[in-house]
Amino acid sequence: MTVLRLLRLTAPADFADWYAASRAYTRRVAEGMDFAGADAIDGARAADRLRTDHAALSPAEARSVAATLLADGAFSEPYCEWLPAWYELALIAPVRYADRRLRRVAAAVAGAAGVTVTAPRFSRPRDVTIDGRPALARVSGFRDRFLLADALLHLEWFVHAAAADGIEVPSALVARTRRESLSYYGGDRESLSPAVRRFQRLLFADDAWVRRVNDRYDLHSRLFALWEDILRDERERLAGE
């Protein structure tokens, strides 16, 4: 079975385990950084309501679910642009289809609760310079591009999801993390400051999200396994510094 199985998901209930994995990630990062509001949303309860009747979600829960699904849908196409052309060409069609599906489900959830939620805009290589150079000027190879993309885009994903969940994320820390991470993974910087390294170590726990989705949806995906290995290795490396 491959990631194409995910394209069979159509109804809000189908995304209950998906949302639960994403919300657990958001909360884990927020608690690890001691951000206020980490427990404002009960992710397990919201996932149960999404599974049984999405119209039973409270406005706050519906906002969390819809914002998370929109972010997940919008994430992958920009991510592909950071990676080698062969990767982007192989995945762009299913990625776009999945984005449309996630948008429809998010709209149904938000509409039932009467809330308005917008999708985030993720950075693409053309939007970014690193130490005064084009974003990918000093980065080659799949793994290095993968890490650079994740270091930037999972930060942007978290900021969007955290805002919808009522989590207070210091804007100064976000700006510093973006600046240092771009320079570290794609430029001249040799190390991260302690606060940024801690933040990125927690953000690189998205290997748990990959593993959970792979398991819960019985994907048995080699692609997901590859992602998980790269993310886990980087998280462990940051923890050991």
Side-chain angles (χ1 to χ4, degrees), residues 14-27:
D14 296 334
F15 289 91
D17 288 331
W18 182 295
Y19 166 74
S22 295
R23 169 57 192 163
Y25 171 74
T26 306
R27 180 169 183 167

Side-chain angles (χ1 to χ4, degrees), residues 53-117:
D53 178 12
H54 71 274
L57 290 164
S58 70
E61 290 169 339
R63 186 176 295 107
S64 174
V65 171
T68 296
L69 297 183
L70 284 173
D72 286 341
F75 182 90
S76 294
E77 184 170 343
Y79 203 108
C80 284
E81 291 190 17
W82 287 90
L83 297 175
W86 59 264
Y87 183 97
E88 182 178 4
L89 290 172
L91 290 183
I92 194 63
V95 156
R96 287 175 174 170
Y97 183 81
D99 184 21
R100 291 194 296 271
R101 182 64 54 79
L102 285 162
R103 286 177 182 270
R104 284 199 294 271
V105 171
V109 169
V115 299
T116 300
V117 183

